[in-house]
Amino acid sequence: MDFTPTEEQTAARELAARIFGDLATHERLAAAGSGTDAELWKALCAAGLPGAVEEIGLLGLVLLLEEQGRTTAQVPFAATCAYGVLAVARHGTHAQRARLLPGLRAGTAVATGAFPAQPGVRAEERTGAVGRLTGVVRSVPWLREATQVLVADAGRRLWLVRTDDPGVRRQPVETTAPWAAGRLTLDRAAGERLGGPGVYEDVLGIVRTAWAALQAGVCAGALARVVAHTTTREQFGRPLSANQGVLLRAADAYMDTEAIRVTAYEAAWRCDQGLDAAPQTLTAAWWAAEAGTRVVHAAQHLHGGIGADVDHPVHRHFLWGRQVAGYVGGGAGLLEELGELVTGSPGLDEVRGTVERRAGHESR
């Protein structure tokens, strides 16, 4: 494995870091509310970064999302690239790519996804690759800004749904992170099939890896604020960073952040190489959920009382870290899924069902 970025990936990362650093300031983020920072999104698209993801691959996207996470920049970059650009570029037909990718590259179209597979969403397949979808998805990130949603139905088939079509209804949902989330209600809404067997698993792996990268950036940004705070704030005549307890807590958070980063790099690299990456994407998601939560809690704690101030920048990292951890899936569920994948054994729910059936049989 070689995670060394190519020249193109390095250039894209440096450009993203400059744009996010210049425009995703605390003042602008506070003023944006729960919506998209339109000027920042326009700048990213004018620089060609969403379109560049087709060339620099998932590992390149991981590098870009780290920079977004550092600043908690309020743009639908991760969602549009994972559910839109990469999903369509990798699995769309020639006609779908020609029709959908130009808008996604330019930022005139915004994509999001109703993932993972929704047991309550049913699809009635019609002629060709067209279907009618019915069901409700409680919370979809960036839904209020999206022009299209990639919906995974109960059968793990993927459908492209336009948010302005008949039978599609969006209701605002407030979450701890300002992602313009919404409740998606589908009532025989038209859906266009994307890909075939195995595509759901591939896109889910892309999404998990992308959000793990976002979490790595969120944690790195939180730690940078910890360093700035503990080295300048004094207590009893010396900096907080001189206390051994502070140093150990910060060191643990640093190691957790590096673990999230390196597992996301490995998962992305394997995806780009066309190798099986299912265990690696689950591992990256688990670290993002478990370690990411630890890091943002530690960062808030090491800021003392001001860390609980909702107007303080580190509190924003705390909220984002918690939201990303929930979005990639709970640590216990991810670990169970990874165990099933590695060992080939049934999950806990199946085991419980077997035990209950046997107990019922014996009682009779």
Side-chain angles (χ1 to χ4, degrees), residues 271-294:
C271 284
D272 286 342
Q273 297 300 314
L275 303 172
D276 176 31
Q280 287 75 20
T281 57
L282 279 166
T283 301
W286 182 84
W287 276 103
E290 292 287 306
T293 300
R294 288 197 298 267

Side-chain angles (χ1 to χ4, degrees), residues 33-299:
S34 61
T36 297
D37 184 332
E39 184 179 346
L40 174 56
W41 182 237
K42 183 179 179 180
L44 291 169
C45 296
L49 290 177
V53 172
E54 293 176 69
E55 301 298 327
I56 61 179
L58 182 55
L59 182 55
L61 176 60
V62 163
L63 298 176
L64 302 184
L65 291 178
E66 275 192 84
E67 299 304 327
Q68 180 184 0
R70 288 179 199 275
T71 57
T72 61
Q74 219 160 280
V75 285
F77 191 51
T80 293
C81 290
Y83 291 116
V85 175
L86 285 180
V88 174
R90 289 166 70 106
H91 301 295
T93 64
H94 177 75
Q96 286 174 327
R97 293 196 299 270
R99 175 165 44 87
L100 299 172
L101 286 176
L104 293 168
R105 296 181 190 123
T108 55
V110 173
T112 188
F115 266 62
Q118 303 295 316
V121 175
R122 304 180 307 278
E124 178 187 347
E125 196 159 2
R126 296 295 184 89
T127 58
V130 179
R132 292 288 177 180
L133 279 68
T134 301
V136 177
V137 186
R138 293 182 180 179
S139 181
V140 179
W142 298 109
L143 180 63
R144 282 177 270 169
E145 312 284 350
T147 57
Q148 66 186 52
V149 187
L150 187 61
V151 179
D153 69 14
R156 296 192 170 192
R157 295 173 296 180
L158 300 188
W159 304 89
L160 290 165
V161 176
R162 290 189 56 84
T163 56
D164 58 357
D165 276 355
V168 179
R169 186 157 58 94
R170 296 177 286 176
Q171 297 171 287
V173 171
E174 297 303 328
T175 65
T176 57
W179 287 352
R183 177 187 179 95
L184 177 67
T185 302
L186 303 171
D187 183 11
R188 295 184 55 79
E192 179 183 1
R193 186 76 182 272
L194 180 71
V199 172
Y200 167 77
E201 287 76 13
D202 181 68
V203 175
L204 181 60
I206 290 173
V207 171
R208 283 171 166 166
T209 304
W211 255 261
L214 196 63
Q215 185 77 306
V218 169
C219 293
L223 280 178
R225 296 191 180 280
V226 166
V227 172
H229 175 74
T230 58
T231 55
T232 57
R233 189 174 182 87
E234 293 189 356
Q235 189 177 57
F236 305 118
R238 63 177 187 172
L240 290 174
S241 59
N243 295 312
Q244 188 178 41
V246 172
L247 290 172
L248 291 174
R249 190 83 188 275
D252 286 342
Y254 173 79
M255 294 303 295
D256 274 339
T257 301
E258 288 301 296
I260 301 169
R261 176 183 289 115
V262 73
T263 52
Y265 284 5
E266 181 182 9
W269 180 84
R270 291 185 67 87
C271 284
D272 286 342
Q273 297 300 314
L275 303 172
D276 176 31
Q280 287 75 20
T281 57
L282 279 166
T283 301
W286 182 84
W287 276 103
E290 292 287 306
T293 300
R294 288 197 298 267
V295 172
V296 295
H297 274 258

